Amino acid sequence: MHEVSIALGMVDELTRIARENNAEKITLVKLKIGKLSGIVVDSLKFAFDAIKLEHPIMTTAEIIINEIPLIYKCNDCNTEFEADDLYFPECTGCKSYNLAIISGEEQHIENVELDV
Ligand SMILES: [Zn+2]
């Protein structure tokens, strides 16, 4: 499962952040996951909840996953719009296909709360 390796990578990063801050515990972790990242949020949450139990520093950490919508911006008329599907849609303003993705590809840690 793709989400397990992502969760493992994030746990490594969280452990490093906690160590750098001399924290005893991680209490809260907020993740930003874009719709286009290909990550299934429920699977990531499940993987995280399982992996955190093996790390005393974060066994009680609450995991909040913020799903970021897929937003395109039209290069022709500058309209920004949210798209539900992953296929290239047309601009809602001028029907152009000349679009840029401005959000939806995120997969990173947004915020960590530590108990020092
Ligand atoms: Zn347009």
Side-chain angles (χ1 to χ4, degrees):
M1 200 164 65
H2 180 53
E3 284 75 11
V4 172
S5 56
I6 290 170
L8 282 169
M10 285 178 169
V11 165
D12 280 349
E13 198 177 334
L14 290 166
T15 308
R16 185 181 53 76
I17 292 169
R19 205 181 295 135
E20 280 173 8
N21 290 282
N22 295 315
E24 309 237 319
K25 288 254 180 247
I26 296 171
T27 53
L28 180 75
V29 179
K30 281 189 188 167
L31 306 178
K32 253 189 176 168
I33 303 297
K35 219 172 167 175
L36 204 62
S37 63
I39 296 169
V40 179
V41 166
D42 286 348
S43 301
L44 182 62
K45 179 104 173 41
F46 184 81
F48 232 111
D49 282 341
I51 294 165
K52 75 179 186 185
L53 298 178
E54 295 164 15
H55 296 78
I57 200 160
M58 64 182 84
T59 41
T60 56
E62 189 186 348
I63 313 291
I64 295 173
I65 300 179
N66 211 344
E67 203 174 5
I68 309 300
L70 176 56
I71 295 180
Y72 284 101
K73 184 175 182 186
C74 176
N75 290 324
D76 292 332
C77 72
N78 288 325
T79 300
E80 288 182 13
F81 63 97
E82 190 177 331
D84 280 333
D85 61 60
L86 304 182
Y87 301 103
F88 257 75
E90 59 183 30
C91 171
T92 53
C94 70
K95 310 243 179 257
S96 168
Y97 290 98
N98 185 13
L99 307 172
I101 293 168
I102 61 170
S103 90
E105 292 179 306
E106 298 83 353
Q107 54 174 86
H108 58 84
I109 297 164
E110 183 184 11
N111 189 27
V112 184
E113 282 177 25
L114 304 168
D115 218 349
V116 182

